[in-house]
Amino acid sequence: VTRTYTITDACANTANDTQTITVDDTTAPAVTGSITATTVEGCDASAAPAAETTVAGLEGLGLSIADACTADGDLTVTSSDASTGTCPLVITRTYVVQDACGNTTADMVHTITVDDTTAPVVTGSITDSPVEGCDASDAPAAETTVAGLEGLGDLMIADACTADEDLTVTSSADSTGTCPLVITR
């Protein structure tokens, strides 16, 4: 702002002086509150909620945001994600709000945990297998893959997040009797 003062004496003589006033917004938007951590069921980052892109969206997560010079609708919201782990996957989403003069808030962090807590689904059954022999050593070897288990009857195994070939198959055996020896796996 350039302000010009005119000074006039009793005889109408004038003198001018100029004042330059610089008005600058150097204050970042004010943020209060915090974002509550979120946990969602899922397999990967696509299960995480979408990043907020507006001040109203951030305020919906538990923050209050205000700027002395820039209206909420004109504040710019940006975010970036970093992730660690797999089961669970922890996403650290960092938000920053910028006003019209380029002043930015401190980082606002939203921790999102994506976790698969659902066990594989097993349907059908394994067909009993009578085997000729004298003791437990005559029993066939235990299956170690999903495909192998599914080949033992009408068994179907599926998991929402893990491919069949990545599922781990373990077994244990109990036996009763001698003639016949019954092995339960």
Side-chain angles (χ1 to χ4, degrees):
V1 176
T2 302
R3 183 173 291 157
T4 303
Y5 292 97
T6 303
I7 300 97
T8 307
D9 67 13
C11 294
N13 300 307
T14 61
N16 293 325
D17 200 0
T18 303
Q19 176 187 25
T20 301
I21 304 167
T22 302
V23 178
D24 192 12
D25 174 12
T26 60
T27 304
V31 178
T32 56
S34 62
I35 302 173
T36 303
T38 303
T39 299
V40 295
E41 178 73 22
C43 304
D44 55 33
S46 67
E52 297 298 337
T53 58
T54 65
V55 167
L58 285 177
E59 289 178 334
L61 294 176
L63 300 173
S64 292
I65 301 169
D67 189 78
C69 298
T70 305
D72 283 3
D74 294 328
L75 293 170
T76 303
V77 176
T78 57
S79 66
S80 62
D81 287 356
S83 60
T84 59
T86 54
C87 288
L89 170 69
V90 178
I91 300 168
T92 302
R93 180 169 291 156
T94 304
Y95 288 101
V96 173
V97 176
Q98 182 174 342
D99 69 14
C101 291
N103 303 304
T104 58
T105 60
D107 292 349
M108 297 165 282
V109 176
H110 184 191
T111 302
I112 304 163
T113 302
V114 179
D115 200 6
D116 171 17
T117 60
T118 304
V121 175
V122 179
T123 57
S125 60
I126 297 174
T127 305
D128 290 344
S129 305
V131 175
E132 182 68 30
C134 301
D135 58 32
S137 66
D138 292 316
E143 294 297 333
T144 59
T145 65
V146 169
L149 282 175
E150 289 177 335
L152 296 178
D154 66 349
L155 195 67
M156 296 294 294
I157 301 169
D159 189 76
C161 295
T162 305
D164 284 359
E165 61 272 9
D166 295 326
L167 290 170
T168 301
V169 175
T170 59
S171 65
S172 62
D174 292 326
S175 61
T176 58
T178 54
C179 287
L181 171 64
V182 177
I183 301 172
T184 306
R185 284 195 190 140

